[in-house]
Amino acid sequence: LNQTSLVTYFWLRGLSVNQKAQIVMFSMFLIFYVLTLIGNILIVITIIYDHRLHTPMYFFLSNLSFIDVCHSTVTVPKMLRDTWSEEKLISFDACVTQMFFLHLFACTEIFLLTVMAYDRYVAICKPLQYMIVMNWKVCMLLAVALWTGGTIHSIALTSLTIKLPYCGPDEIDNFFCDVPQVIKLACTDTHVIEILIVSNSGLISVVCFVVLVVSYTVILVSLRQQISKGRRKALSTCAAHLTVVTLFLGHCIFIYSRPSTSLPEDKVVSVFFTAVTPLLNPIIYTLRNEEMKRAFNKLVGRKERFTKEHD
């Protein structure tokens, strides 16, 4: 008998045991989740519908919106359902599946944000070569590479976690399964595994963050030397990207660049990571983006005309 099968369920402690607090959090997270779905799906539809947005930047932005929908769907619906149940249980297999998809979408998003920074660097610093460097073949290859990278990372991390023996403790101090919390429950010394996780997830987060900061620093220096109408638009786009990058990678560095010790801030950071950031992305990118706003208004206007014609 494989020792890993001795624990068939994990108990999720959730965010709070206070009934009133749970009702408030349920309402808040339900609103966040619905708005996340609506906002991100609208971005994807708008980009597909408007041919003027068929550019590399918006191709990657539609990927980001798709990832955000998937990323929040991995954890939030289960958390909403658990709010009303006495026993917040998750099966071992469901826990492993949740960890796999959580890391798949999170790692893919980190790579995507890095690619988006490179795209903005080429567009702003080498505008004349932009369509040669970022042609559709390159965009497709980058998209395949970042999804493949995310998948490899997730398989590596999940398989490290599955191989550990789980034979006793079964309480996860969070509202979803994540590798640092799950490996703490293993009935063996996990020191080596923790080092591997820090060197895998932590290194990806830190390296990508450094690459991103360097990219945007070069862009901002380049923009200081430009005096043009496009400068404000470019600055606005970069500010939006930097906001998303800081929010998302800040979490990854905080959680995965240290050993698996629980801190009181972990749950707050996890809430931000799984429920708030996916909602902020469409808000940040659309409110600061005139092209997206025009395309969205055009889409809404077309729908209204179509409705009136068929009434």
Side-chain angles (χ1 to χ4, degrees):
L1 178 72
N2 187 341
Q3 275 187 296
T4 52
S5 63
L6 293 175
V7 170
T8 52
Y9 283 89
F10 290 117
W11 180 57
L12 299 167
R13 203 177 282 177
L15 288 172
S16 174
V17 288
N18 182 303
Q19 195 61 43
K20 280 184 181 175
Q22 283 191 339
I23 292 164
V24 170
M25 281 188 286
F26 175 83
S27 310
M28 191 172 70
F29 281 108
L30 182 62
I31 292 164
F32 280 0
Y33 183 60
V34 170
L35 290 175
T36 299
L37 293 183
I38 293 167
N40 284 296
I41 290 167
L42 272 175
I43 286 178
V44 174
I45 292 168
T46 305
I47 291 168
I48 291 168
Y49 163 78
D50 197 314
H51 291 285
R52 286 172 304 176
L53 300 183
H54 290 186
T55 63
M57 183 177 112
Y58 291 106
F59 167 70
F60 292 125
L61 180 55
S62 62
N63 267 272
L64 182 66
S65 288
F66 173 73
I67 290 171
D68 279 335
V69 167
C70 298
H71 188 211
S72 58
T73 302
V74 170
T75 54
V76 179
K78 165 85 177 130
M79 191 261 277
L80 290 171
R81 197 168 77 242
D82 283 348
T83 309
W84 304 108
S85 63
E86 286 296 310
E87 292 186 315
K88 297 169 173 57
L89 293 173
I90 186 166
S91 72
F92 185 84
D93 291 343
C95 185
V96 169
T97 306
Q98 195 175 52
M99 283 189 292
F100 173 79
F101 284 108
L102 186 76
H103 281 271
L104 166 65
F105 297 126
C107 186
T108 305
E109 182 158 339
I110 290 171
F111 291 147
L112 177 60
L113 291 170
T114 312
V115 167
M116 288 172 85
Y118 174 69
D119 171 69
R120 288 302 83 208
Y121 162 75
V122 178
I124 292 162
C125 300
K126 300 183 180 191
L128 299 175
Q129 296 160 281
Y130 181 65
M131 285 320 290
I132 300 162
V133 176
M134 295 300 289
N135 60 59
W136 281 111
K137 189 182 174 184
V138 170
C139 290
M140 289 301 171
L141 283 171
L142 285 168
V144 169
L146 59 93
W147 279 99
T148 306
T151 306
I152 292 166
H153 159 81
S154 192
I155 289 169
L157 228 59
T158 313
S159 55
L160 280 174
T161 313
I162 293 173
K163 282 177 183 170
L164 294 170
Y166 299 93
C167 52
D170 61 356
E171 186 182 66
I172 294 170
D173 188 18
N174 214 325
F175 60 93
F176 62 91
C177 287
D178 197 4
V179 174
Q181 286 109 9
V182 172
I183 62 166
K184 276 196 301 186
L185 305 177
C187 313
T188 185
D189 180 32
T190 59
H191 186 65
V192 176
I193 303 285
E194 284 180 34
I195 291 167
L196 285 170
I197 287 163
V198 168
S199 61
N200 185 327
S201 297
L203 197 65
I204 287 172
S205 305
V206 172
V207 168
C208 287
F209 189 68
V210 170
V211 170
L212 285 156
V213 169
V214 170
S215 299
Y216 286 119
T217 306
V218 171
I219 290 168
L220 292 169
V221 169
S222 171
L223 284 171
R224 279 185 65 192
Q225 295 161 1
Q226 292 179 24
I227 303 161
S228 65
K229 186 185 163 189
R231 181 182 167 184
R232 202 166 138 263
K233 182 185 162 190
L235 273 169
S236 180
T237 306
C238 289
H241 285 217
L242 267 173
T243 311
V244 171
V245 163
T246 308
L247 288 170
F248 194 81
L249 277 165
H251 161 271
C252 296
I253 292 166
F254 179 77
I255 297 288
Y256 303 112
S257 300
R258 59 184 170 85
S260 303
T261 47
S262 282
L263 293 175
E265 298 85 7
D266 282 0
K267 284 187 188 180
V268 179
V269 174
S270 294
V271 165
F272 224 84
F273 180 59
T274 56
V276 182
T277 310
L279 171 62
L280 287 178
N281 284 356
I283 295 169
I284 290 165
Y285 280 103
T286 49
L287 290 183
R288 300 185 68 98
N289 190 317
E290 290 303 319
E291 286 174 333
M292 274 301 297
K293 281 194 268 189
R294 274 199 302 271
F296 179 65
N297 289 335
K298 189 178 156 191
L299 180 72
V300 172
R302 177 70 64 91
K303 288 256 165 64
E304 283 174 358
R305 283 203 305 275
F306 179 82
T307 309
K308 283 174 187 172
E309 283 168 14
H310 288 78
D311 275 353

